[in-house]
Structure formats: structure tokens, C-alpha cells
Amino acid sequence: KLSYDSSRFEDETINRMLGHLQTLLTAIVENPHIIIQELPLLTTAETQQLLKEWNQTTLDFSVNECIHQLFELQVNKTPDAIAVVYKNQQLTYFELNQKANQLANYLISLGVKPDNLVGICVERSLEMIIGILGILKAGAAYVPLDPEYPQERLQFILEDAQVSTLVTQEYLSDKLPENTAKAVYLDTDWDNISQCSFENPVTEVNNASLAYVIYTSGSTGKPKGVLVNHSNVTRLFTATESWYHFDSNDVWTLFHSYAFDFSVWEIWGALLYGGRLVVVPYLVTRSPESFYQLLCDEKVTVLNQTPSAFYQLVAVDLDFERTAETQREEGLCLRLVIFGGESLDVQGLRSWFEVHGDEFPQLVNMYGITETTVHVTYRPLSWRDLRYSGSVIGCPIPDLRVYVLDRYLRPVPVGVPGEMYVGGAGVTRGYLRRVELTKERFITHSDLCADGEVLYKTGDLARYLPGGELEYLGRIDDQVKIRGFRIELGEIEGSLSQCEAVQSCCMMVREDTPGDKRLVAYVVLQKGQDVGVNYLRQFLKDRLPDYMIPGAFVLLDAFPLTANGKVDRRALKAPEQSGSDLFVSPRNGVELQLVQIWSRVLKLESVGVKDNFFDLGGHSLLAFHLMGEVKTLFDINIPLATLFQCPTIEELAIAIQQYTQQSTYSQWSPLVALQHHGSKPPLFCVPGSGGFPFYLYNLARCLGTDQPFYSFQAQNADGELLTLGSIEDTAAVYIQALQTVQPQGPYYLGGHSFGGKVAFEMAQQLLRQGEKVALVAIFDTTAPQKSGDRPEVDDATWLIDIAKSMQVAFAKDVKMDTEPLRSLPLDQQLQYVLNYLHQLDLLPPNADTTYIKNLLQGYKANNTVEYLPQQFQPLPITLFRASELISQHPTSELSADITWGWTPFSSTPVDVQFVPGNHVTMMTQPYVQEFAEKLKTCLQKLQNFSS
């Protein structure tokens, strides 16, 4: 008898478990001398089901022809049909065949023979297809070298593959490392190539010959080349014909890199059936909107996507549905969408099914591996799949077998996780010049393999579901898939360990936000080394493709260890720092808003305006969400490609400003939301003399994400100050802006330096309106007093004061040489200060001398304005005083008074709180943290009292 929770287990599952128990007990009695790990668990019937019934692969789908020979047969059928399209260029089947023949015959004249490896490094174009087809027609196998790869990786592949001939384009020569291969340039050499015969070359190649070698990530730190025969590819299409019925009416896209084996399915799925292949330009692949438009314009019928890429299209499709009622006639023409490359979260398809249903187009999930030729399993998707939380990958292709085995290579029961092993006609030769690794991953099994057959050890976890379908459960080792790219963490660690500055390193895939995986590198530097994140990132960029570059680097003094001395990965914290060594705070409203968007999208607390979106772990899916927020916030139609061209905040801010110049959107307001959200009452703060609010950003962040924080700005986007004439007028304008956010009190006000007086005046005007003011926090400001005769101050002195204040506010430790400034005319003084502030990254790149001139005028006006209220209503005042004094502050008359003259203006004894730093540095790290804690305590007390 077995008791179980019927809400969690099906009867079928329990009966199966009882069968396992009975089999085990019987075997123990019959074989008491055998250790338990060798005893059987499966019943005879279940063994038969797992190994035979669910792996019916007796059908032979092999063909005698090679890939290019099947293409030639199609040329004879449809010579005038369009074979391949790129932008406004196209080739018919006849034209493509002729050009590929000329290249093939040229390569043969150079001595290229069957099974030779010929490298191809060509950008997306018609020439890419000509190159691949020409290499195959010459009898050789192609080795794809993506020109986007770093030189070190390209050099490794060239040397490891021992490529003697390289098909490329001359203008890519600078991207290629030095090599000994004979270069064949498809651009500058074409005059010579075109002299060769148009006829199909005759070679000794057959379907057992090598077709291509694609390099995948390697666990030892080195990529490994997978050897794939023609027969592996051709049988893939014949084995799946009954499902897909590809024909000459189909239009395909070549979306993926030809160094990614998904491209093999895309290219030959079109060209072996008379279809049209649309080569997608690189920038279009990075823009879901542009790609969606291409799908509509080209009337694409067969789309192959990684799930991550398709989720972006789903969002674009929803927008299209909202704006186009005739979508069925004018929009997508898809009949098939085939997923591969990474695990599918079927819940991400819910909105697609709601719009399109589940029959047309038909969505299909296919699990696959390079070593078993692109695809292994097949699973058509429907509404019913939304009930699954996992990734169901279906059943094997008819000429493949999939076994789920334990570590002793025995079948595991239904529902029990095990490692997938693949056998059958798709299993490739192994790895190029990696005999030991081939033996390790391509194994024989006396019970499961016929003579000469091998099983590929995938390293992937799966389990059989009761109906015979497989559910994918992830990787069993350190290999991961992120956005369709297969990555060995060991390869990244191996490359990073080659850096002389690195003592040790550890790679992790973090998913701190569900569904958002990113690579994180944890690094301990050698003693005495002081390199930063940018140095390490560039070191890897010179050696690895972009998709393998960690999204974040965390520098540690030492790794946390477990009791047995291993790295305690659970103790490694999520990265929090900016992605750049040089942290630059936002300097205008657009930069501030972008910082806030990036922080939300990337889930990072600290983002600087010089940080690169993609260096911080951003990818195309996150880029889509980020630009969606940008469009909504700024009310502009800015293409996603802009982010790839302007990947830093300061670059994107300039682009946005250029767009908004022609837009109705106005980016200037007296009120700046340094922190929008939070459950607490908002705090409104007035900045110092320059009316420049962004140095208060550090204070806002340190108060916590639950504290809304607004600042006021007297400057417009060009640095020009709002001309209001008096503190009273300034306060009135600020109150009007304040009440658009909070119409009624109680109000919490603060002000720094000159802003302290404005905050006090705002409180007075609010009280006269009958509103309640809960807090007036004065940040290092003396009380209003009658001023005596002021000494004349020249422009140079004001400019020096402005520059030094901005420098200290943003924690820039570089001294300004002030002597040359005084001898210059004003226009040159402005240029001198502009250059100095640009050098310190204290101004946006597009700021000019007009910005500095406006800043000077406003600074002078604010520092010379008279303010001495004749009638006022005392109210409680909290004074935050900086512990360190700087020259000429406070004035001598008030220096002996701890309240700095605020006693007559306060209805209670002035609450004086000393904070670290001086008048300027109190707003910068590390001092601002303690200041924020004291201000937070003050706010909390008042809020508790109010409630």
C-alpha cells in the first residue's frame, strides 16, 4: 500500500512508482550480492516503452546527393525564380548557381579538394550565399568566421582549422588577424573569378563528405569545431518534410549569423525547395520594428527564431494590431514559426495566441544541438501548452533517438530527470582535432547502439512526460544558453585568467529578475594591480564575441569559500556598481530621466551617463523595453537602432534632444523628479545658486527608493536661468510647479545654500494660502539678513567659483589653473571654463559657451539678490550644518551663533544637525550617506507624528 496526496500525484504516476518498488525488491531478493546502484528499477514494460516504442527510428531518410547537388536539381526546376534577396539586390536560382559555379571552379584551380576546410569571412550580403555555395560545390567544407568576432577568436579558428584558403572581402582585411591562408576576395578578385566556367563542377565529393565546421563554445577555454557531413544536413530536411511541406511558395529569412547552426536550416530550407531567402541586414536584426516591417514587406512565410527574439516581435505585433484593423491582409503572411536555440517559455506566447490563434501560423518548438545537426525534436504548439510551466520539446525527429539516462547510463523512469543522449542519422563526426573530447562526448553503448553507431552526450537535463514527450530542464554542467547562444562558462573564465592583472575569477549566470539571465564575472585581482572594469571588459572583447562578454564585473578582495574550500557561489552577491570605471552623474533633465529608465530596465542601482547599455548586460530584448519607455516618456518616435548607434546615456540624450527639437514635447519644467515613486510624502528641495538640481541626485538615491524626491531647476535646457527678479517671485513659480504634483499639504521642503532661503519663502507663501508645512529643512544656509556693501567681484572670480563648486559637487579631484583665466577676455574665459568642465565630464558633450554664459549670469543674480522678509510667520526649522567650514562661510556676524541666525524665524528651538563634509562635499559620497540617514530620521519622526 502507498499513501499519497491525490492533489499532487496522478494514479498512473503512483502505479508506476509501485512497479519500480516491486522491481527493485524482486531484484534485491534475486541478487543479494549486487550493490544497489546496479539493481534495475524499471519494469519490463516501461523499459520497452522508453527504449523502443518512444524511439521508433527504423525509417531511413538518407539521400545520395550532397547539399549543393540538391540545390542544382532545384535550379533545373525553377531557374528563373528568385533565390536570394538582400536589400534592393536579388539573384535568381540560375544566376546564383552560375556565380557559385564560377567561384567553385576558381577555388578548384587553386587546389581546393574534397574535405578541405575553406574559411569564409563575409558580411551579410548576396556574396555570403555565393561564398558558402561555391565552397560546397568545390567539394570543400566551409568554416564560418563572423566578421563581428574579435581578432583573437578569428585567429584561433583559422589556426585550429588550419584553413589554407579564405573566402572574404578585401575591405574586411583590417578585421582579420594575420594568417597564412590564401585570400580569395569576392569583391576585388571577382574579375578573375568571373573568367571561370559557369558549369557545375564535378568533384569526388559524396554525401559522407564534410559540409561545414561550426565552432561552439568550449569548456576548456577554447572553442571546438563540430564536423558536419552533407548527409547529416540532407536527411534533416527529408525527415521533417511530412511536417512542414516546404515548397517554392515559401519565403524564408536568414536572420541568424552563419556561424550559428540555425542558419543551416534557414539557408537550405529555402534553397532546396525553390523558396526565396531574404538575407536580413544586421541593423534590422537588432530592431524588432524594422524586422517586423521586413516580414510584412517580403511576405515571409517561414520564420525561425530564438524565443528571446520572437518575444520582441510579439510586442511589436500587438502595437501593429492596435493601429491596423486590416492586419490579416496587409501584415504578416507567416504559416510557420519555428523556435530553436534556447529554452522556450510558452507563457510568453499567450498574447500571440490571443491575436493569431494557434493554427495559422503554426508555432513549433524544436530542441537542437550543433553536434546532432541543428534540430533533434519536434513539438507543434497550441493553446493547450499554456497549461505547462516548463519547456516541452516533444518527440525525436523520426531518424533520431533520444534517451534519458542516469549517471550509470541506464534509462530513468518517466518523470525523473536525467541527461539526454542522442543517437541516429543526425549525430555528427565529432570535434576537429579533439580526439579525447570526441571520445568523451560521442560514446558507444552496448545496449542502445548498433555496430558503428554512437550516442552524443548532450549535457542537457530532461525528463519524459507520461505521453512520451520530453520536457527540457536545463544544463547539467557549466554550459549555458543565453538568448540562443550556447556558452561554456569555462571558456570565459579561461580567457579572463590570461589577463596578467587577474589572480582568479569565477563566472556565473544570474537571474536576479525572473526571465532575465545575464553573465556576471567575479574577479580577484593580483596584488598591486589597480585595473578597472573597463580594462577587463576590453580584454575580453579582444578575445571573445560580444555575446560572451559578461554584463557585469564584480571586483572582490577574495572569494567566499565553502567548508571544503570551494568557491561559495551562493555567497556571491548580485552586482550593484556602474558598468564603467568612470562614474558620471546625470547633468541635465534628459540624462536624469534616462538614468532612471536604465536603472529600472537593467535592475541596477547605480548607472552613470557614460555607461554602455550593452556593457551593463543589456541585450536586444531589454533594448526593446528600454526604448519603449523612452518613446512613451519623451513622446517621440525614435528607432531602436538609435540605441545601438548611441549606447551610452550621454550619447542617447543628445540624440533625443535632436529628435525633440522638431517635436511638440517640451523637456523643461521648473520641477525635476529625481525619484518618482514611493509610498511616503514627497520631499521638495531647492538647489543652490546655479539653479542646477542634478547634484542632489546622490541625496535622493541615499534616502531610499520609497522616498519620492523632487528638485527645482532655474535653468532651461540651454543653461539659461529663469529671470524672476526676486526670491519671492522664484518661490511663487516653484509653488505652482509643486502643486501640480501635490495639490495640498502637509508639505516637506528643503533647500541647500541659496535654495534654503527660497525654501523658507515657499513655506511662508504656502502658510498664507492656508496650507500646512510639516518641514523646512535648511541645508547649510545662513538666515536672511541685511547685507552691507558688497565688494565688486569680476566675472573670472564668479566663473572660478562656479567651476570649483561643480567640481566638488560631482567629486572630481582635479585642480583648475585659475591664473590664465583672469587675463583673458570674457569670451575666452567662457571657453576656458567650458573646456575645463568638459574635461571633468561635468557637462553634456553638446554644451557650449552659451551654456556657461547663461550659468554665469544666473549665478551672479542669485548670489547678489536681496532677501529680508519684513513679515513672516515663524515655523519649526531644522538646520543641517556641514561640520567643515570653507572660506567666507558663514558670514562673520553669524559665525558664533550655532543656529546661523535662524532662531527668530523658527517657532521652536532650531533643530541643528551636524553632518560630515563641507558646504559642497556634504552632498557627495561618502558624506551624503550619513546626511541622508539623519534627514531620513527627521522625515520619519514627522510622518509618524502626522499619522
Side-chain angles (χ1 to χ4, degrees):
K1 297 175 70 174
L2 189 66
S3 298
Y4 65 97
D5 183 351
S6 60
S7 67
R8 298 179 60 194
F9 294 97
E10 300 287 344
D11 291 349
E12 182 182 357
T13 303
I14 298 302
N15 285 325
R16 188 165 56 246
M17 292 172 67
L18 284 171
H20 297 158
L21 179 59
Q22 185 173 353
T23 301
L24 178 63
L25 294 174
T26 301
I28 289 173
V29 172
E30 293 177 350
N31 305 283
H33 59 285
I34 295 180
I35 59 175
I36 196 162
Q37 69 187 37
E38 296 179 358
L39 292 172
L41 193 65
L42 297 175
T43 64
T44 303
E46 193 171 4
T47 302
Q48 176 71 16
Q49 184 183 59
L50 290 169
L51 302 186
K52 302 297 182 183
E53 294 176 18
W54 290 350
N55 276 293
Q56 291 282 0
T57 57
T58 56
L59 296 176
D60 181 7
F61 294 97
S62 62
V63 293
N64 295 324
E65 291 82 6
C66 298
I67 299 169
H68 59 279
Q69 292 166 343
L70 291 176
F71 171 77
E72 290 165 0
L73 293 175
Q74 186 60 49
V75 173
N76 293 332
K77 294 178 183 177
T78 56
D80 298 325
I82 302 301
V84 60
V85 174
Y86 177 72
K87 294 183 176 178
N88 58 351
Q89 302 171 294
Q90 63 183 34
L91 290 172
T92 65
Y93 274 81
F94 180 77
E95 291 168 336
L96 175 58
N97 191 55
Q98 280 198 330
K99 288 181 179 295
N101 286 343
Q102 290 175 316
L103 175 60
N105 287 313
Y106 185 78
L107 293 174
I108 291 171
S109 73
L110 298 178
V112 172
K113 294 182 174 65
D115 265 9
N116 282 179
L117 300 184
V118 176
I120 177 168
C121 184
V122 180
E123 290 191 332
R124 290 169 179 263
S125 58
L126 300 181
E127 287 72 25
M128 176 194 293
I129 307 302
I130 294 169
I132 291 173
L133 187 54
I135 293 169
L136 294 176
K137 281 173 167 280
Y142 72 92
V143 181
L145 297 140
D146 193 322
E148 297 299 320
Y149 282 176
Q151 283 201 352
E152 184 164 316
R153 189 177 182 88
L154 294 175
Q155 184 170 9
F156 173 84
I157 295 174
L158 285 167
E159 292 175 355
D160 187 68
Q162 298 179 15
V163 168
S164 58
T165 306
L166 177 61
V167 175
T168 183
Q169 293 156 317
E170 189 175 44
Y171 64 85
L172 294 177
S173 298
D174 291 342
K175 289 191 175 185
L176 288 165
E178 290 186 12
N179 62 86
T180 59
K182 166 65 178 175
V184 176
Y185 298 117
L186 295 182
D187 43 10
T188 56
D189 286 346
W190 191 257
D191 285 344
N192 294 329
I193 297 170
S194 64
Q195 302 303 312
C196 294
S197 171
F198 290 118
E199 299 301 320
N200 295 331
V202 178
T203 65
E204 296 179 359
V205 68
N206 58 55
N207 69 350
S209 298
L210 201 59
Y212 61 82
V213 178
I214 281 182
Y215 277 77
T216 66
S217 182
S219 58
T220 60
K222 295 181 179 180
K224 50 189 185 292
V226 182
L227 302 161
V228 186
N229 293 343
H230 282 263
S231 60
N232 296 134
V233 177
T234 56
R235 47 68 35 193
L236 172 64
F237 290 100
T238 54
T240 56
E241 274 182 350
S242 62
W243 295 329
Y244 293 124
H245 305 291
F246 300 138
D247 61 28
S248 59
N249 294 316
D250 280 322
V251 181
W252 296 61
T253 58
L254 177 55
F255 179 89
H256 301 92
S257 165
Y258 67 124
F260 182 23
D261 73 332
F262 216 163
S263 66
V264 174
W265 175 258
E266 292 178 299
I267 294 170
W268 305 115
L271 298 183
L272 297 188
Y273 292 91
R276 177 158 53 92
L277 179 66
V278 180
V279 180
V280 184
Y282 176 77
L283 281 179
V284 174
T285 68
R286 319 313 281 175
S287 169
E289 298 97 330
S290 299
F291 184 51
Y292 187 91
Q293 190 61 52
L294 180 144
L295 295 176
C296 297
D297 293 343
E298 297 289 348
K299 301 189 183 307
V300 172
T301 63
V302 181
L303 175 63
N304 302 275
Q305 290 276 273
T306 60
S308 294
F310 189 72
Y311 297 150
Q312 299 176 54
L313 282 180
V314 171
V316 176
D317 184 67
L318 286 175
D319 287 340
F320 186 90
E321 277 292 310
R322 295 188 189 104
T323 58
E325 296 180 357
T326 57
Q327 196 265 343
R328 288 290 180 271
E329 291 74 27
E330 299 178 1
L332 297 173
C333 298
L334 296 173
R335 73 176 186 90
L336 285 167
V337 178
I338 301 167
F339 299 117
E342 65 181 349
S343 178
L344 171 70
D345 178 6
V346 74
Q347 300 305 318
L349 304 177
R350 182 178 296 275
S351 57
W352 175 273
F353 283 142
E354 289 172 352
V355 172
H356 298 278
D358 61 358
E359 294 183 2
F360 197 89
Q362 174 66 67
L363 274 54
V364 181
N365 191 20
M366 297 190 81
Y367 162 82
I369 321 164
T370 306
E371 288 86 345
T372 56
T373 317
V374 190
H375 294 308
V376 173
T377 67
Y378 168 86
R379 177 61 155 74
L381 301 170
S382 70
W383 276 103
R384 294 187 299 276
D385 289 291
L386 294 173
R387 63 188 174 182
Y388 293 116
S389 58
S391 179
V392 180
I393 57 176
C395 301
I397 290 173
D399 62 350
L400 294 179
R401 304 185 306 278
V402 177
Y403 303 107
V404 182
L405 308 179
D406 64 17
R407 57 179 173 165
Y408 304 110
L409 300 183
R410 296 176 308 186
V412 298
V414 171
V416 176
E419 183 175 0
M420 279 193 287
Y421 289 76
V422 179
V427 178
T428 59
R429 288 193 198 180
Y431 299 117
L432 177 64
R433 282 184 264 282
R434 304 286 287 276
V435 177
E436 292 305 315
L437 184 61
T438 299
K439 288 181 179 178
E440 177 188 329
R441 302 299 290 271
F442 294 80
I443 68 166
T444 59
H445 192 295
S446 57
D447 295 332
L448 303 178
C449 295
D451 290 342
E453 284 191 334
V454 295
L455 296 179
Y456 176 67
K457 175 183 169 69
T458 69
D460 286 324
L461 283 173
R463 63 177 179 176
Y464 267 111
L465 300 177
E469 292 189 309
L470 289 157
E471 180 182 7
Y472 177 78
L473 300 174
R475 289 295 300 173
I476 202 170
D477 52 22
D478 281 342
Q479 188 184 90
V480 297
K481 275 195 175 182
I482 295 183
R483 298 181 300 282
F485 292 104
R486 176 172 156 188
I487 299 169
E488 293 276 7
L489 298 183
E491 180 174 358
I492 307 175
E493 291 175 352
S495 296
L496 193 52
S497 296
Q498 295 172 17
C499 178
E500 294 182 356
V502 173
Q503 180 193 91
S504 55
C505 61
C506 172
M507 285 300 307
M508 285 184 66
V509 174
R510 299 195 66 100
E511 194 172 356
D512 299 301
T513 302
D516 179 22
K517 292 181 180 179
R518 62 172 174 161
L519 291 167
V520 180
Y522 294 87
V523 180
V524 177
L525 297 176
Q526 298 280 8
K527 288 186 178 179
Q529 292 287 345
D530 191 28
V531 303
V533 168
N534 288 347
Y535 178 87
L536 297 174
R537 180 176 283 114
Q538 189 57 50
F539 183 87
L540 287 181
K541 280 189 172 183
D542 293 339
R543 291 158 176 79
L544 299 172
D546 285 345
Y547 66 83
M548 294 178 70
I549 306 301
F553 290 77
V554 179
L555 302 182
L556 303 172
D557 295 327
F559 281 118
L561 302 178
T562 62
N564 60 5
K566 295 183 179 181
V567 175
D568 186 356
R569 292 175 177 264
R570 289 180 297 179
L572 295 173
K573 295 182 179 179
E576 296 178 357
Q577 83 279 11
S578 161
S580 171
D581 299 328
L582 179 63
F583 181 84
V584 178
S585 296
R587 300 155 302 193
N588 60 36
V590 177
E591 288 184 347
L592 172 67
Q593 290 167 313
L594 290 178
V595 164
Q596 294 167 337
I597 293 173
W598 286 33
S599 295
R600 286 197 300 273
V601 171
L602 293 169
K603 304 297 188 293
L604 292 175
E605 291 185 9
S606 177
V607 177
V609 300
K610 287 192 169 295
D611 288 338
N612 185 297
F613 176 77
F614 302 100
D615 289 346
L616 291 176
H619 49 76
S620 54
L621 181 60
L622 289 179
F624 181 73
H625 292 304
L626 182 141
M627 293 305 281
E629 288 203 34
V630 168
K631 289 178 182 179
T632 301
L633 178 62
F634 294 99
D635 192 23
I636 54 175
N637 187 23
I638 184 169
L640 180 63
T642 305
L643 181 61
F644 292 89
Q645 297 157 359
C646 306
T648 67
I649 286 175
E650 71 174 8
E651 292 171 328
L652 187 59
I654 293 172
I656 289 172
Q657 288 168 330
Q658 292 170 346
Y659 272 94
T660 54
Q661 285 174 358
Q662 307 300 323
S663 170
T664 58
Y665 170 80
S666 175
Q667 65 185 24
W668 186 84
S669 165
L671 196 62
V672 179
L674 296 182
Q675 195 154 274
H676 283 277
H677 306 291
S679 62
K680 299 178 180 179
L683 176 62
F684 299 90
C685 286
V686 186
S689 299
F692 189 81
F694 304 105
Y695 72 92
L696 297 174
Y697 179 65
N698 283 327
L699 178 61
R701 285 202 313 116
C702 292
L703 287 173
T705 56
D706 199 34
Q707 176 61 65
F709 190 109
Y710 292 84
S711 178
F712 297 94
Q713 59 177 347
Q715 299 173 4
N716 64 18
D718 298 321
E720 185 177 353
L721 257 74
L722 200 63
T723 304
L724 298 173
S726 68
I727 283 179
E728 289 85 351
D729 291 343
T730 302
V733 171
Y734 287 177
I735 287 173
Q736 187 176 3
L738 172 153
Q739 290 180 330
T740 63
V741 173
Q742 185 183 347
Q744 295 180 325
Y747 293 104
Y748 295 80
L749 306 176
H752 178 229
S753 191
F754 163 81
K757 296 182 175 67
V758 178
F760 178 79
E761 174 59 28
M762 290 175 67
Q764 294 300 312
Q765 293 186 23
L766 287 167
L767 290 174
R768 287 196 289 272
Q769 293 178 13
E771 296 290 352
K772 182 178 179 181
V773 178
L775 172 68
V776 177
I778 307 296
F779 305 154
D780 213 49
T781 307
T782 57
Q785 59 181 309
K786 186 175 182 179
S787 58
D789 294 333
R790 298 177 184 271
E792 189 68 27
V793 178
D794 61 9
D795 288 336
T797 301
W798 286 117
L799 286 169
I800 291 168
D801 195 22
I802 290 170
K804 287 184 175 179
S805 296
M806 291 181 67
Q807 176 182 338
V808 178
F810 287 94
K812 303 290 183 178
D813 188 19
V814 177
K815 291 185 178 179
M816 180 182 183
D817 187 2
T818 59
E819 288 307 313
L821 187 67
R822 300 184 188 279
S823 61
L824 299 174
L826 179 60
D827 60 337
Q828 294 182 31
Q829 288 181 353
L830 297 174
Q831 187 64 51
Y832 186 93
V833 173
L834 177 71
N835 293 342
Y836 174 71
L837 295 177
H838 272 318
Q839 177 189 352
L840 298 181
D841 291 311
L842 297 179
L843 295 177
N846 58 337
D848 55 18
T849 53
T850 302
Y851 186 96
I852 304 298
K853 184 177 181 180
N854 292 333
L855 193 62
L856 171 64
Q857 293 172 348
Y859 200 82
K860 288 166 63 176
N862 284 341
N863 275 281
T864 56
V865 68
E866 293 282 351
Y867 177 62
L868 185 61
Q870 300 302 312
Q871 294 182 343
F872 58 86
Q873 181 178 339
L875 74 171
I877 289 176
T878 302
L879 172 63
F880 291 88
R881 275 188 54 175
S883 300
E884 304 170 21
L885 298 181
I886 56 178
S887 60
Q888 299 180 343
H889 185 82
T891 57
S892 57
E893 294 87 346
L894 297 176
S895 57
D897 180 3
I898 194 174
T899 72
W900 278 356
W902 283 104
T903 297
F905 299 92
S906 181
S907 60
T908 60
V910 178
D911 181 12
V912 181
Q913 304 262 356
F914 283 92
V915 296
N918 61 36
H919 184 67
V920 178
T921 61
M922 64 185 286
M923 293 295 183
T924 68
Q925 294 287 7
Y927 308 116
V928 70
Q929 188 67 52
E930 185 173 335
F931 174 25
E933 290 301 321
K934 290 191 174 185
L935 179 57
K936 192 187 301 184
T937 300
C938 177
L939 288 167
Q940 191 61 53
K941 286 181 180 178
L942 290 169
Q943 289 162 10
N944 291 342
F945 177 78
S946 175
S947 61

